[in-house]
Amino acid sequence: MVGIILASHGEFAEGILQSGAMIFGEQENVKAITLMPSEGPEDVKAKMKTAIASFDDQDEVLFLVDLWGGTPFNQANTLFEEHKEKWAIVAGLNLPMVIEAYASRLSMNSAQEIAAHIIETAKEGVRIRPEELEPVSTAAVATAEPIQGSIPPGTVVGDGKIKLVLTRVDSRLLHGQVATAWTKSVLPNRIIIVSDAVAKDDLRKRLIEQAAPPGVKANVVPISKMIEIAKDPRFGGTKALLLFENPRDVVRVMDGGVDIKEVNVGSMAHSVGKVVVSKVLSMGQDDVEAFEEMKEKGVKFDVRKVPNDSSGNMNEILKKAKNELARA
């Protein structure tokens, strides 16, 4: 696996390492190198050498540095000179760049291949509001209309059946872990937030749709619309990531005929009437009953915040929730 050095002036590299772990999970063979006010170039170089020595594969190293021409870059560059056939340096460190580098390591074994690949994502991560301040080319991409709107009703695209690459229960809906880690893992071309409540809230709906990652369209639809979409042959070319606020809405969609075989359980916020069953999951009686109804329908559960996490045992989680609710 390609080793990654995150290097910066001050503690920026440490912070972005932590942010990356929150979104994509803890990573092996990644080190943060910081240049502190009391340190000099040789200190940074020594830290980099120590970090590289700890990597499983020292032949493939990628440096992601904050500033071209700064001390972290210059010291990485001195080390790079002896390994320029395989190593690579990318300046302009930002979080989209880091996440894309993590995802790329799953399929790419070359530091230089990853370096070339992540540049576009790093640039796309720089967005602006109001949108009219963006250059015309990027603004046009961000506001592109969904292709289904231009296809006559009844048209069959592909095999006429929408592909559900991930169905997730997450009370936060579309946030960093979904927009980056899960999107990179399951590769949807559309994110569909299924919620009657959000569909009626114009502000919340607009904010969620604007949070879509580059290259992926996000839509908020009520439950009845999702049932229609699942039967619409125009969505045959759609690979959808479905997001639900709660498990009851998943059951309602399934009752309407949507074929869901597996549900990823991400996070469920605590509120009155619910009990805490893990660091990220709180359940009420209706939640437990909804999950049990899904089990009876043959649904499999994948309890994970991010793709790198190990999957939790849903039977044990439901058992704990029942016990805690009985005592409440």
Short mmCIF file of all heavy atoms in Angstrom, two decimals, residues 143-201:
data_model
loop_
_atom_site.label_atom_id
_atom_site.label_comp_id
_atom_site.label_asym_id
_atom_site.label_seq_id
_atom_site.Cartn_x
_atom_site.Cartn_y
_atom_site.Cartn_z
N THR A 143 -24.98 22.78 -11.46
CA THR A 143 -26.42 22.97 -11.52
C THR A 143 -27.07 22.16 -12.63
O THR A 143 -28.20 22.42 -13.02
CB THR A 143 -26.74 24.46 -11.72
OG1 THR A 143 -26.11 24.91 -12.95
CG2 THR A 143 -26.23 25.29 -10.57
N ALA A 144 -26.35 21.18 -13.16
CA ALA A 144 -26.89 20.39 -14.27
C ALA A 144 -28.18 19.69 -13.86
O ALA A 144 -28.31 19.21 -12.74
CB ALA A 144 -25.87 19.35 -14.73
N GLU A 145 -29.15 19.65 -14.76
CA GLU A 145 -30.43 19.02 -14.49
C GLU A 145 -30.30 17.50 -14.61
O GLU A 145 -29.50 16.99 -15.39
CB GLU A 145 -31.48 19.52 -15.48
CG GLU A 145 -31.90 20.95 -15.25
CD GLU A 145 -32.53 21.14 -13.88
OE1 GLU A 145 -33.36 20.29 -13.48
OE2 GLU A 145 -32.17 22.11 -13.20
N PRO A 146 -31.08 16.75 -13.84
CA PRO A 146 -31.03 15.29 -13.93
C PRO A 146 -31.46 14.82 -15.32
O PRO A 146 -32.39 15.36 -15.91
CB PRO A 146 -32.02 14.83 -12.86
CG PRO A 146 -32.92 16.00 -12.64
CD PRO A 146 -32.07 17.21 -12.86
N ILE A 147 -30.81 13.79 -15.80
CA ILE A 147 -31.07 13.32 -17.15
C ILE A 147 -32.49 12.79 -17.31
O ILE A 147 -33.08 12.89 -18.38
CB ILE A 147 -30.04 12.22 -17.53
CG1 ILE A 147 -30.21 11.85 -19.01
CG2 ILE A 147 -30.23 10.98 -16.67
CD1 ILE A 147 -29.10 10.96 -19.51
N GLN A 148 -33.11 12.30 -16.23
CA GLN A 148 -34.45 11.72 -16.36
C GLN A 148 -35.47 12.75 -16.85
O GLN A 148 -36.45 12.40 -17.47
CB GLN A 148 -34.92 11.14 -15.01
CG GLN A 148 -34.42 9.73 -14.73
CD GLN A 148 -32.96 9.70 -14.37
OE1 GLN A 148 -32.40 10.72 -14.00
NE2 GLN A 148 -32.32 8.56 -14.47
N GLY A 149 -35.21 14.03 -16.56
CA GLY A 149 -36.15 15.06 -16.95
C GLY A 149 -36.30 15.19 -18.45
O GLY A 149 -37.30 15.72 -18.95
N SER A 150 -35.32 14.74 -19.23
CA SER A 150 -35.37 14.90 -20.68
C SER A 150 -35.77 13.61 -21.39
O SER A 150 -35.79 13.56 -22.61
CB SER A 150 -34.00 15.35 -21.19
OG SER A 150 -33.01 14.38 -20.89
N ILE A 151 -36.07 12.56 -20.64
CA ILE A 151 -36.44 11.27 -21.23
C ILE A 151 -37.95 11.09 -21.17
O ILE A 151 -38.55 11.22 -20.09
CB ILE A 151 -35.75 10.10 -20.49
CG1 ILE A 151 -34.23 10.26 -20.54
CG2 ILE A 151 -36.16 8.77 -21.08
CD1 ILE A 151 -33.48 9.20 -19.77
N PRO A 152 -38.57 10.81 -22.27
CA PRO A 152 -40.04 10.65 -22.28
C PRO A 152 -40.49 9.53 -21.35
O PRO A 152 -39.82 8.49 -21.24
CB PRO A 152 -40.34 10.31 -23.74
CG PRO A 152 -39.17 10.83 -24.51
CD PRO A 152 -37.98 10.67 -23.61
N PRO A 153 -41.61 9.71 -20.67
CA PRO A 153 -42.14 8.65 -19.80
C PRO A 153 -42.34 7.36 -20.59
O PRO A 153 -42.74 7.37 -21.75
CB PRO A 153 -43.48 9.22 -19.33
CG PRO A 153 -43.31 10.70 -19.42
CD PRO A 153 -42.45 10.93 -20.62
N GLY A 154 -42.05 6.24 -19.94
CA GLY A 154 -42.20 4.94 -20.57
C GLY A 154 -40.95 4.44 -21.26
O GLY A 154 -40.85 3.25 -21.60
N THR A 155 -39.97 5.33 -21.46
CA THR A 155 -38.72 4.92 -22.08
C THR A 155 -37.97 3.97 -21.15
O THR A 155 -37.86 4.23 -19.95
CB THR A 155 -37.83 6.14 -22.38
OG1 THR A 155 -38.54 7.04 -23.22
CG2 THR A 155 -36.54 5.70 -23.08
N VAL A 156 -37.45 2.89 -21.69
CA VAL A 156 -36.70 1.92 -20.89
C VAL A 156 -35.20 2.19 -21.07
O VAL A 156 -34.68 2.13 -22.19
CB VAL A 156 -37.02 0.47 -21.30
CG1 VAL A 156 -36.19 -0.51 -20.47
CG2 VAL A 156 -38.51 0.19 -21.12
N VAL A 157 -34.54 2.51 -19.99
CA VAL A 157 -33.09 2.73 -20.00
C VAL A 157 -32.42 1.50 -19.40
O VAL A 157 -32.78 1.05 -18.31
CB VAL A 157 -32.70 3.99 -19.19
CG1 VAL A 157 -31.18 4.13 -19.13
CG2 VAL A 157 -33.33 5.23 -19.81
N GLY A 158 -31.46 0.93 -20.13
CA GLY A 158 -30.80 -0.28 -19.65
C GLY A 158 -31.80 -1.40 -19.48
O GLY A 158 -32.61 -1.68 -20.37
N ASP A 159 -31.76 -2.03 -18.31
CA ASP A 159 -32.74 -3.10 -18.05
C ASP A 159 -34.01 -2.56 -17.39
O ASP A 159 -34.89 -3.32 -16.99
CB ASP A 159 -32.11 -4.20 -17.18
CG ASP A 159 -31.69 -3.69 -15.80
OD1 ASP A 159 -31.92 -2.50 -15.50
OD2 ASP A 159 -31.13 -4.49 -15.03
N GLY A 160 -34.08 -1.23 -17.24
CA GLY A 160 -35.28 -0.62 -16.69
C GLY A 160 -35.42 -0.68 -15.19
O GLY A 160 -36.46 -0.32 -14.64
N LYS A 161 -34.37 -1.13 -14.51
CA LYS A 161 -34.44 -1.27 -13.05
C LYS A 161 -33.33 -0.46 -12.37
O LYS A 161 -32.15 -0.59 -12.71
CB LYS A 161 -34.29 -2.74 -12.65
CG LYS A 161 -35.42 -3.63 -13.18
CD LYS A 161 -35.20 -5.08 -12.77
CE LYS A 161 -36.33 -5.97 -13.30
NZ LYS A 161 -36.12 -7.39 -12.93
N ILE A 162 -33.72 0.38 -11.44
CA ILE A 162 -32.75 1.17 -10.69
C ILE A 162 -31.85 0.26 -9.87
O ILE A 162 -32.29 -0.77 -9.35
CB ILE A 162 -33.48 2.19 -9.77
CG1 ILE A 162 -32.48 3.20 -9.19
CG2 ILE A 162 -34.25 1.48 -8.67
CD1 ILE A 162 -33.17 4.35 -8.46
N LYS A 163 -30.55 0.59 -9.77
CA LYS A 163 -29.59 -0.21 -9.00
C LYS A 163 -29.34 0.48 -7.66
O LYS A 163 -28.92 1.63 -7.62
CB LYS A 163 -28.26 -0.34 -9.77
CG LYS A 163 -28.41 -0.72 -11.25
CD LYS A 163 -29.13 -2.02 -11.45
CE LYS A 163 -29.18 -2.39 -12.93
NZ LYS A 163 -29.93 -1.42 -13.77
N LEU A 164 -29.62 -0.22 -6.56
CA LEU A 164 -29.39 0.33 -5.22
C LEU A 164 -28.03 -0.13 -4.74
O LEU A 164 -27.86 -1.26 -4.26
CB LEU A 164 -30.50 -0.13 -4.26
CG LEU A 164 -31.94 0.20 -4.70
CD1 LEU A 164 -32.92 -0.23 -3.63
CD2 LEU A 164 -32.09 1.68 -5.03
N VAL A 165 -27.02 0.74 -4.86
CA VAL A 165 -25.65 0.35 -4.47
C VAL A 165 -25.45 0.45 -2.96
O VAL A 165 -24.54 -0.18 -2.41
CB VAL A 165 -24.61 1.21 -5.21
CG1 VAL A 165 -24.67 0.95 -6.71
CG2 VAL A 165 -24.79 2.70 -4.92
N LEU A 166 -26.29 1.23 -2.28
CA LEU A 166 -26.23 1.30 -0.82
C LEU A 166 -27.54 1.89 -0.32
O LEU A 166 -28.03 2.89 -0.85
CB LEU A 166 -25.07 2.17 -0.33
CG LEU A 166 -24.90 2.25 1.20
CD1 LEU A 166 -24.31 0.94 1.74
CD2 LEU A 166 -23.99 3.42 1.61
N THR A 167 -28.12 1.25 0.70
CA THR A 167 -29.28 1.80 1.40
C THR A 167 -28.85 2.01 2.84
O THR A 167 -28.49 1.06 3.53
CB THR A 167 -30.48 0.83 1.34
OG1 THR A 167 -30.84 0.60 -0.03
CG2 THR A 167 -31.67 1.41 2.08
N ARG A 168 -28.89 3.26 3.30
CA ARG A 168 -28.30 3.59 4.60
C ARG A 168 -29.31 4.32 5.49
O ARG A 168 -30.02 5.22 5.03
CB ARG A 168 -27.07 4.48 4.40
CG ARG A 168 -26.37 4.94 5.69
CD ARG A 168 -25.12 5.73 5.33
NE ARG A 168 -24.48 6.38 6.47
CZ ARG A 168 -23.50 5.86 7.21
NH1 ARG A 168 -23.06 4.65 6.93
NH2 ARG A 168 -22.96 6.53 8.21
N VAL A 169 -29.35 3.92 6.76
CA VAL A 169 -30.10 4.65 7.77
C VAL A 169 -29.11 5.53 8.53
O VAL A 169 -28.16 5.03 9.14
CB VAL A 169 -30.81 3.69 8.75
CG1 VAL A 169 -31.47 4.48 9.88
CG2 VAL A 169 -31.84 2.85 8.03
N ASP A 170 -29.33 6.84 8.45
CA ASP A 170 -28.40 7.79 9.08
C ASP A 170 -29.18 9.06 9.39
O ASP A 170 -29.63 9.76 8.48
CB ASP A 170 -27.24 8.10 8.12
CG ASP A 170 -26.12 8.89 8.78
OD1 ASP A 170 -26.40 9.67 9.69
OD2 ASP A 170 -24.96 8.71 8.36
N SER A 171 -29.36 9.35 10.66
CA SER A 171 -30.17 10.51 11.05
C SER A 171 -29.56 11.82 10.56
O SER A 171 -30.26 12.83 10.46
CB SER A 171 -30.36 10.55 12.57
OG SER A 171 -29.11 10.57 13.24
N ARG A 172 -28.27 11.82 10.23
CA ARG A 172 -27.63 13.03 9.70
C ARG A 172 -27.77 13.14 8.19
O ARG A 172 -27.40 14.15 7.60
CB ARG A 172 -26.15 13.06 10.09
CG ARG A 172 -25.90 13.22 11.58
CD ARG A 172 -24.43 13.35 11.88
NE ARG A 172 -23.70 12.11 11.61
CZ ARG A 172 -22.37 12.02 11.59
NH1 ARG A 172 -21.63 13.09 11.78
NH2 ARG A 172 -21.79 10.86 11.37
N LEU A 173 -28.28 12.08 7.55
CA LEU A 173 -28.47 12.03 6.11
C LEU A 173 -27.17 12.28 5.35
O LEU A 173 -26.22 11.54 5.54
CB LEU A 173 -29.59 13.00 5.70
CG LEU A 173 -30.99 12.60 6.22
CD1 LEU A 173 -32.02 13.67 5.89
CD2 LEU A 173 -31.43 11.26 5.64
N LEU A 174 -27.11 13.31 4.53
CA LEU A 174 -25.93 13.52 3.68
C LEU A 174 -24.91 14.40 4.40
O LEU A 174 -25.09 15.60 4.56
CB LEU A 174 -26.34 14.17 2.35
CG LEU A 174 -25.23 14.41 1.32
CD1 LEU A 174 -24.44 13.15 1.05
CD2 LEU A 174 -25.82 14.97 0.04
N HIS A 175 -23.83 13.78 4.86
CA HIS A 175 -22.76 14.50 5.55
C HIS A 175 -21.42 13.97 5.05
O HIS A 175 -21.37 13.18 4.10
CB HIS A 175 -22.90 14.36 7.07
CG HIS A 175 -22.93 12.94 7.53
ND1 HIS A 175 -21.79 12.25 7.91
CD2 HIS A 175 -23.95 12.06 7.66
CE1 HIS A 175 -22.12 11.02 8.28
NE2 HIS A 175 -23.43 10.87 8.13
N GLY A 176 -20.34 14.38 5.68
CA GLY A 176 -19.01 14.08 5.18
C GLY A 176 -18.71 12.61 4.95
O GLY A 176 -18.16 12.23 3.91
N GLN A 177 -19.06 11.77 5.92
CA GLN A 177 -18.77 10.34 5.79
C GLN A 177 -19.50 9.72 4.60
O GLN A 177 -18.99 8.82 3.95
CB GLN A 177 -19.15 9.61 7.08
CG GLN A 177 -18.25 9.95 8.25
CD GLN A 177 -18.79 9.40 9.57
OE1 GLN A 177 -19.93 9.00 9.66
NE2 GLN A 177 -17.95 9.40 10.58
N VAL A 178 -20.69 10.20 4.33
CA VAL A 178 -21.46 9.67 3.20
C VAL A 178 -20.97 10.26 1.89
O VAL A 178 -20.74 9.55 0.91
CB VAL A 178 -22.97 9.97 3.38
CG1 VAL A 178 -23.74 9.53 2.15
CG2 VAL A 178 -23.50 9.27 4.62
N ALA A 179 -20.79 11.58 1.88
CA ALA A 179 -20.42 12.27 0.65
C ALA A 179 -19.04 11.89 0.15
O ALA A 179 -18.75 12.04 -1.05
CB ALA A 179 -20.49 13.79 0.86
N THR A 180 -18.20 11.40 1.02
CA THR A 180 -16.84 11.05 0.60
C THR A 180 -16.59 9.55 0.71
O THR A 180 -16.50 8.86 -0.29
CB THR A 180 -15.80 11.83 1.41
OG1 THR A 180 -16.05 11.65 2.82
CG2 THR A 180 -15.86 13.31 1.09
N ALA A 181 -16.51 9.05 1.94
CA ALA A 181 -16.12 7.65 2.13
C ALA A 181 -17.06 6.67 1.45
O ALA A 181 -16.64 5.80 0.68
CB ALA A 181 -16.02 7.33 3.62
N TRP A 182 -18.36 6.78 1.71
CA TRP A 182 -19.30 5.83 1.14
C TRP A 182 -19.47 6.03 -0.36
O TRP A 182 -19.60 5.07 -1.12
CB TRP A 182 -20.64 5.89 1.86
CG TRP A 182 -20.62 5.16 3.16
CD1 TRP A 182 -20.66 5.71 4.41
CD2 TRP A 182 -20.51 3.75 3.36
NE1 TRP A 182 -20.58 4.73 5.37
CE2 TRP A 182 -20.49 3.52 4.75
CE3 TRP A 182 -20.42 2.67 2.49
CZ2 TRP A 182 -20.39 2.24 5.29
CZ3 TRP A 182 -20.32 1.39 3.02
CH2 TRP A 182 -20.31 1.18 4.41
N THR A 183 -19.45 7.28 -0.80
CA THR A 183 -19.57 7.54 -2.23
C THR A 183 -18.39 6.93 -2.98
O THR A 183 -18.56 6.34 -4.06
CB THR A 183 -19.65 9.05 -2.50
OG1 THR A 183 -20.83 9.57 -1.85
CG2 THR A 183 -19.76 9.33 -3.98
N LYS A 184 -17.20 7.06 -2.43
CA LYS A 184 -16.03 6.47 -3.07
C LYS A 184 -16.07 4.95 -3.03
O LYS A 184 -15.55 4.28 -3.91
CB LYS A 184 -14.75 6.94 -2.37
CG LYS A 184 -14.53 8.45 -2.39
CD LYS A 184 -14.40 8.98 -3.79
CE LYS A 184 -14.15 10.48 -3.77
NZ LYS A 184 -14.19 11.06 -5.15
N SER A 185 -16.71 4.40 -2.01
CA SER A 185 -16.74 2.96 -1.86
C SER A 185 -17.75 2.28 -2.79
O SER A 185 -17.44 1.25 -3.40
CB SER A 185 -17.07 2.60 -0.40
OG SER A 185 -17.20 1.21 -0.22
N VAL A 186 -18.94 2.86 -2.92
CA VAL A 186 -20.00 2.18 -3.69
C VAL A 186 -20.24 2.81 -5.07
O VAL A 186 -20.97 2.26 -5.88
CB VAL A 186 -21.31 2.13 -2.89
CG1 VAL A 186 -21.11 1.38 -1.59
CG2 VAL A 186 -21.86 3.54 -2.61
N LEU A 187 -19.66 3.99 -5.32
CA LEU A 187 -19.69 4.64 -6.64
C LEU A 187 -21.09 4.84 -7.22
O LEU A 187 -21.40 4.38 -8.32
CB LEU A 187 -18.83 3.84 -7.63
CG LEU A 187 -17.35 3.66 -7.24
CD1 LEU A 187 -16.65 2.78 -8.27
CD2 LEU A 187 -16.68 5.01 -7.12
N PRO A 188 -21.96 5.57 -6.52
CA PRO A 188 -23.27 5.88 -7.09
C PRO A 188 -23.15 7.02 -8.11
O PRO A 188 -22.18 7.78 -8.08
CB PRO A 188 -24.06 6.35 -5.87
CG PRO A 188 -23.02 7.02 -5.02
CD PRO A 188 -21.77 6.17 -5.19
N ASN A 189 -24.12 7.14 -9.00
CA ASN A 189 -24.19 8.34 -9.82
C ASN A 189 -25.33 9.25 -9.36
O ASN A 189 -25.55 10.32 -9.93
CB ASN A 189 -24.32 8.01 -11.31
CG ASN A 189 -25.49 7.10 -11.62
OD1 ASN A 189 -26.48 7.05 -10.87
ND2 ASN A 189 -25.39 6.37 -12.72
N ARG A 190 -26.04 8.81 -8.32
CA ARG A 190 -27.10 9.64 -7.74
C ARG A 190 -27.29 9.28 -6.26
O ARG A 190 -27.28 8.10 -5.91
CB ARG A 190 -28.41 9.45 -8.49
CG ARG A 190 -29.53 10.40 -8.08
CD ARG A 190 -30.73 10.22 -8.98
NE ARG A 190 -30.42 10.59 -10.36
CZ ARG A 190 -30.65 11.80 -10.88
NH1 ARG A 190 -31.19 12.74 -10.13
NH2 ARG A 190 -30.35 12.06 -12.14
N ILE A 191 -27.45 10.31 -5.44
CA ILE A 191 -27.78 10.12 -4.02
C ILE A 191 -29.23 10.56 -3.85
O ILE A 191 -29.60 11.67 -4.24
CB ILE A 191 -26.86 10.94 -3.11
CG1 ILE A 191 -25.41 10.47 -3.24
CG2 ILE A 191 -27.32 10.85 -1.65
CD1 ILE A 191 -24.41 11.35 -2.50
N ILE A 192 -30.05 9.67 -3.30
CA ILE A 192 -31.47 9.98 -3.11
C ILE A 192 -31.79 9.96 -1.62
O ILE A 192 -31.65 8.92 -0.97
CB ILE A 192 -32.37 8.98 -3.86
CG1 ILE A 192 -32.02 8.95 -5.35
CG2 ILE A 192 -33.83 9.35 -3.67
CD1 ILE A 192 -32.82 7.94 -6.15
N ILE A 193 -32.16 11.11 -1.09
CA ILE A 193 -32.57 11.22 0.30
C ILE A 193 -34.08 11.01 0.34
O ILE A 193 -34.83 11.76 -0.29
CB ILE A 193 -32.20 12.59 0.90
CG1 ILE A 193 -30.67 12.74 0.96
CG2 ILE A 193 -32.80 12.75 2.29
CD1 ILE A 193 -30.03 13.27 -0.30
N VAL A 194 -34.52 9.97 1.05
CA VAL A 194 -35.93 9.60 1.07
C VAL A 194 -36.52 10.02 2.41
O VAL A 194 -36.27 9.39 3.44
CB VAL A 194 -36.11 8.09 0.84
CG1 VAL A 194 -37.59 7.75 0.70
CG2 VAL A 194 -35.34 7.63 -0.39
N SER A 195 -37.31 11.08 2.38
CA SER A 195 -37.88 11.59 3.64
C SER A 195 -39.05 12.52 3.35
O SER A 195 -38.89 13.52 2.64
CB SER A 195 -36.81 12.35 4.43
OG SER A 195 -37.37 13.07 5.51
N ASP A 196 -40.21 12.21 3.89
CA ASP A 196 -41.36 13.10 3.75
C ASP A 196 -41.09 14.44 4.42
O ASP A 196 -41.42 15.50 3.89
CB ASP A 196 -42.61 12.46 4.38
CG ASP A 196 -43.15 11.31 3.54
OD1 ASP A 196 -42.73 11.16 2.38
OD2 ASP A 196 -44.00 10.56 4.06
N ALA A 197 -40.46 14.40 5.60
CA ALA A 197 -40.21 15.62 6.37
C ALA A 197 -39.25 16.56 5.64
O ALA A 197 -39.51 17.76 5.52
CB ALA A 197 -39.66 15.27 7.74
N VAL A 198 -38.15 16.03 5.15
CA VAL A 198 -37.17 16.87 4.47
C VAL A 198 -37.70 17.38 3.14
O VAL A 198 -37.44 18.51 2.73
CB VAL A 198 -35.84 16.11 4.25
CG1 VAL A 198 -34.83 16.99 3.53
CG2 VAL A 198 -35.27 15.65 5.58
N ALA A 199 -38.48 16.55 2.44
CA ALA A 199 -39.04 16.96 1.15
C ALA A 199 -39.96 18.17 1.29
O ALA A 199 -40.12 18.95 0.34
CB ALA A 199 -39.80 15.79 0.52
N LYS A 200 -40.55 18.36 2.48
CA LYS A 200 -41.45 19.49 2.73
C LYS A 200 -40.71 20.73 3.24
O LYS A 200 -41.30 21.81 3.32
CB LYS A 200 -42.51 19.10 3.75
CG LYS A 200 -43.46 18.00 3.27
CD LYS A 200 -44.40 17.59 4.39
CE LYS A 200 -45.31 16.44 3.96
NZ LYS A 200 -46.17 15.98 5.08
N ASP A 201 -39.44 20.55 3.61
CA ASP A 201 -38.65 21.65 4.18
C ASP A 201 -37.72 22.19 3.09
O ASP A 201 -36.64 21.65 2.85
CB ASP A 201 -37.84 21.11 5.37
CG ASP A 201 -37.13 22.21 6.15
OD1 ASP A 201 -36.79 23.24 5.55
OD2 ASP A 201 -36.87 22.00 7.35
#
